[in-house]
Each structure stands twice: as C-alpha cells, then as structure tokens.
Amino acid sequence: MLDFKLDMNVLSTQMQTRFDTKVLYRGWNCYIEGLVDEIRVEERTVLKSIVWENGANSVHIDLKRFSTSSCTCARGPYCRHLAAVLFEACEMLGENPEPLLNPTHLTALSDDLEFSPNSGLTGLDIYKKLIKKSFDKPKDTGTAEQWHSYFEDQYKQLFRRGTDWGTLYSEVMNKLGLIAESWPPLIRGIYLVHLQLFMMKQADAHYRESMRTYYYYDYSFFKPVSQNCMEQLDQVVSEIDPVNAQREFPQQLKAVADFLAAQVFPEPRTTAIDWNSAYRLLWWNLLNLEEWKHSEQVRLQAFLDDTADVEQVRREAVIMAIVHFDIMAGQDQMALERIDRDIMNPDLTGLFAYLQIFKNLGQWDRLALWLKWLLPNMKFKSYGLHSEYFKFWKMLCANKDMQAEYAQSIIYLLPGSYSYYADHLIENESYKEWVDLCLLLELSPNEVNPAELKIVEVNDRKYLLPLYHRAVERYIQEKNRNSYKMAVRLLKKLAVAYKKLKEPVRWSLYITELSKQHSRLRAFQEELRKGKLIV
C-alpha cells in the first residue's frame, strides 16, 4: 500500500501545464506496457521508481516541490517516464488515470497533424498519430529530441534479448549512422555525437540489466565495449570544429550538455561506461562556451548546496566536475586545493587526461605543477600508472631543465620505479650509482637489464665486481643444487672479468678462499670442479 495521497485535480493541472502533450501520451504508453517498476515512497511526498524503457530510467518525483522532480533520461525535467510513474501511482491508489489524458488539450496540435480536435478521436487515437509522426527519419534540420525519439524507436526494433551487445551496437550504429552520410559535415558530426551518447546509455542500461538479472556478471566481458564507445566518441568529437558548431547549431549542441546533466551524476550506480571521461571530453572540446560553462557550474554548485547528505561517491563526482572547469579556466592551484580538501581518493587515471592536454598544448609549467602534486599519490596507489607518469616526466625534461626534479621523483617511488631510475642512471653515465642501486635492491646480474649490464661492463667493468660477488654469496646461501649451478655460472664470468682487469692473483686468492670457506658443502664443491674452477 502506497503511503501518500494524490489530489487528482491538482495533479491534472500539473501534468497538463508542465508536460508537453506528446510526452504525456508517450508516458501513457510506458504505463500501459507495464514498464514502471515498483514505486517507493519516502517521507510521504517523494516517489521513486524505475521505468524500463530502453534500459533503466530512474525517476524521482517530489509531490511537494514538483519542479525539483527528475529523471535520468535526457528528455528534460518533464519526461514520459515521470508521467508514466504518476499514471502508475494513480492506479495503485485506486484512481483512474485516464481523465489525465483529456483530448481537448490537443487543440494546439490539430494543424500540425491535419485533423480537427472535434473529429471524435479519442486521446489514444491521437496519441498513435503523434507517435507515427514523431518517428519520421531524422533530418539535418531536426532537433536533438526528434533524433533521440527515432533512435529509441529503431533500437526497440533491432534489440533482441540475448543478442550479443557488440553485434547489436554495430548494427544500430551502421543503420542510424548512414542516415546522416550525405549531411553537411558539421551537423553530421553533432548527430553522430548524439547517436554515440544514446548507444552509450543503452550499453550502460544493458550492463545494469544484466547485473539485475544474473547473480554474477563479469565486467571484464563488458570493458571492451566501454573502451570502444569512448574511442568512437573521441574520434567523432575530434572531427568537429567547435567554434562553428556553437555558432551554427547551438540548440543541437546545447542538447548534448542537457544529456550529460541528466546522465552523468544522477545517482550512485554500477556503470559500465566511463561517463566522467565523456563529460570531460565534451565540455573541453564541444561545449566550451562561457555562457554554457557558467550555467553548468551554477547547476553543479546548487546540487552540492541542496544535497548536503548525498552519498560521498556521488558528491565527489560532482566536485571533480567543478575541478574540471577550474582546470579549463587555467586555475590549477584552485583545482588542486579543491581536490586536497574535498576528495578522499582522487581518480588518478582521470587526472592523467589533463597531463596529456598540457603536453599537447606545450604548457610545460602546468605539467610540472601537476606531476609534482601527483607524486605522493603515486607512491601507494598506482603502480600501474608509473609508465605513463614517467613518460610525461621525460617529455617535460626534454623541454625544461628539470632533470634533478625527475631524479628525485624516481627515487621517491623506489622500489616500484627501479627500471626508470636504472634507465636514468645509464643515460647519465652514472655507472657506479647504477651498481649501487642493484646492490640496494639485492638484484643478481641475471635479473638486471642485459643491455644495461653490457653498457656498464664496456665502460668500467670493475664496478660490476661487487654485484657478482654479492649474487654468488646469495646463491650459495640457498643451499640447493640449482643455486650452486647459478653461483658457478657467475663465478666463471667473474674469472673472465678479473682476467680482463689483469688481476689474476686477486682472482686466485678469492676462489681459493671461497672454496675453503664452503668446504663442507659437498654439492657446491662438485659444481666448482665441474666448472673447472678448482681441482
């Protein structure tokens, strides 16, 4: 039993003044098809549900403050899914929702649909005509809403339960992408952005539905899909001139911002799509207009101010969006302070995208600032990012004299940064320090980079003697036949080294003393004799 009340007169006024008529009737269709999930009631005035149309659309309706109601779809504040939940709520309370579909409110559409409001058609008859007209093939002069309506219709027709997602994705993208093949390049690019975002939303819904249906669902199976979606979106965006797009097609482009506002931060949920990266990509490249950025920042800050008790994960995602706008404005210090103050576990992978931007733009001072700030976080959280981190350091050093700072960062991250420090020492001909590093980490000559070992040997082989001696002692201490054999192989190399250094007497004294010291290790003595190191 739903623990709330509905005033049908007030609700009728709300729905027919706030909802577009087409939207109202599409909501009716969702309702009669049984797409509305169980309705949850909070504090007797808030309704929450999911409408399963092309995936999960999470609906939040505040009956007391109706203007704050929302849905995770990209249709704006008063969408079909909100309407569907209200129709369902009426039924659950024993009220008849049909009077909310008063056909006299369709007068404004009569000319467009070429029929009279006095024709005797029922509200549902008119609805069918509306739907037929709304699914006309997209045109380059159409609105983003018309494009998405067509996407949804075609997706429904192509979707078959159990179909491999990769196959479905390719089929939908090919069919709907071809529609814009002959369009002017600029509007075609914007259309493809909308199509890609639509399919990313379907992929996300498909993944969450799979998790809801099956007890266990392997994300690794879906990860390539997510990566492919982002690669395709990146490719499409890179081919669009943002300045001309903002000037010539502001409505279709602004609809991208509206889609992101509804999709990226609606509620904490398991997702297969990297929406945060999509958000950063689109705002940095396509939506970088001062008026739009200001509106989005106001929206994000209002969200934080109005939802003090929101989940930490969701709150941090919104804060990182604000950080994104700080960085876009060149206010790096403000961005770093905001992260330090408000983010418990920053997503370093996402931040690396900015390093790439600074590198591409040749903004070396900004790159240096961020690399230094990242250093403490790299120590404990991100061994997998060391390669990318030091790659940026090398690019920085090639353009600024920061070799000393680079070396300090590598030393700070030891032992995980061993290979980078070893490479750095070889490049700077610091051969003794290279050997000291290997000794510190107790590395055998068999465990180091053979090319680096050869370079040190060619330049000054005497530095390598302690490395071989220490390794021989460790192998002997392991006291097994295989280790003794490894020790003998290194001893043979030591013999060659001493010979080339013209110190045969020193070698003779060493091998005699070594054999004497370990005279009770019969297997070791046997290996020494096999190696012809003693008689």
Side-chain angles (χ1 to χ4, degrees), residues 297-309:
Q297 288 173 277
V298 169
R299 185 186 74 85
L300 294 171
Q301 191 58 54
F303 174 86
L304 293 178
D305 294 341
D306 294 342
T307 54
D309 58 345

Side-chain angles (χ1 to χ4, degrees), residues 9-223:
N9 291 327
V10 172
L11 181 59
S12 178
T13 301
Q14 290 275 24
M15 294 186 74
Q16 294 180 19
T17 57
R18 294 181 182 272
F19 287 83
D20 180 83
T21 306
K22 296 180 184 179
V23 170
L24 200 60
Y25 279 78
R26 290 190 184 113
W28 179 267
N29 195 50
C30 292
Y31 157 66
I32 62 175
E33 288 184 7
L35 303 181
V36 181
D37 212 335
E38 180 182 357
I39 297 176
R40 306 184 307 279
V41 182
E42 296 180 1
E43 299 178 358
R44 300 177 65 88
T45 60
V46 175
L47 309 182
K48 289 187 175 182
S49 185
I50 294 177
V51 180
W52 295 96
E53 184 201 35
N54 295 329
N57 299 277
S58 299
V59 175
H60 174 107
I61 299 175
D62 191 327
L63 298 172
K64 208 169 186 179
R65 298 184 299 167
F66 201 79
S67 62
T68 65
S69 301
S70 64
C71 176
T72 58
C73 76
R75 295 296 170 208
Y78 303 112
C79 66
R80 70 188 73 173
H81 308 118
L82 264 72
V85 172
L86 288 169
F87 292 139
E88 182 74 17
C90 288
E91 180 183 327
M92 295 295 290
L93 289 175
E95 299 283 356
N96 179 12
E98 286 190 23
L100 301 177
L101 287 175
N102 186 345
T104 60
H105 289 268
L106 298 174
T107 304
L109 299 170
S110 59
D111 293 338
D112 186 40
L113 295 174
E114 299 178 355
F115 67 85
S116 167
N118 299 318
S119 62
L121 292 172
T122 67
L124 293 180
D125 289 334
I126 297 172
Y127 165 71
K128 291 176 182 178
K129 289 181 176 288
L130 288 171
I131 292 301
K132 184 178 185 302
K133 188 172 183 65
S134 69
F135 290 152
D136 289 341
K137 187 175 290 189
K139 298 181 177 61
D140 56 2
T141 56
T143 66
E145 182 180 7
Q146 291 168 342
W147 295 345
H148 279 265
S149 293
Y150 188 79
F151 297 161
E152 290 175 358
D153 178 60
Q154 294 299 302
Y155 183 82
K156 281 182 181 179
Q157 294 182 32
L158 293 171
F159 178 79
R160 296 175 296 278
R161 188 170 294 278
T163 303
D164 172 71
W165 171 255
T167 302
L168 177 63
Y169 173 85
S170 298
E171 191 174 354
V172 174
M173 291 299 294
N174 289 337
K175 180 176 180 179
L176 299 184
L178 284 173
I179 292 173
E181 191 173 30
S182 61
W183 293 9
L186 202 54
I187 190 64
R188 181 176 72 242
I190 297 173
Y191 170 86
L192 292 176
V193 167
H194 277 282
L195 178 57
Q196 189 63 54
L197 289 173
F198 171 80
M199 288 305 294
M200 289 167 69
K201 179 185 175 185
Q202 304 314 313
D204 209 3
H206 182 74
Y207 174 71
R208 283 183 278 130
E209 172 65 9
S210 298
M211 291 196 68
R212 191 174 73 97
T213 304
Y214 303 106
Y215 176 73
Y216 172 76
Y217 193 78
D218 186 6
Y219 172 70
S220 63
F221 171 78
F222 218 84
K223 189 174 182 180

Side-chain angles (χ1 to χ4, degrees), residues 385-446:
L385 292 174
H386 280 182
S387 176
E388 286 292 299
Y389 181 74
F390 290 122
K391 179 189 77 173
F392 285 115
W393 260 114
K394 287 185 176 182
M395 293 176 185
L396 180 61
C397 290
N399 290 274
K400 285 179 70 71
D401 183 16
M402 298 193 67
Q403 289 291 338
E405 292 87 343
Y406 174 46
Q408 290 171 6
S409 70
I410 302 176
I411 294 170
Y412 181 83
L413 293 176
L414 285 171
S417 61
Y418 156 73
S419 61
Y420 305 100
Y421 192 33
D423 182 60
H424 173 75
L425 292 173
I426 293 295
E427 285 182 0
N428 288 274
E429 301 181 359
S430 302
Y431 304 126
K432 184 178 183 302
E433 289 79 3
W434 182 88
V435 173
D436 289 341
L437 174 65
C438 296
L439 291 170
L440 175 67
L441 299 178
E442 297 188 344
L443 296 176
S444 161
N446 299 322

Side-chain angles (χ1 to χ4, degrees), residues 270-286:
T270 302
T271 177
I273 298 296
D274 187 359
W275 286 111
N276 291 328
S277 291
Y279 183 91
R280 292 191 295 264
L281 171 70
L282 291 166
W283 272 105
W284 191 284
N285 293 279
L286 287 188

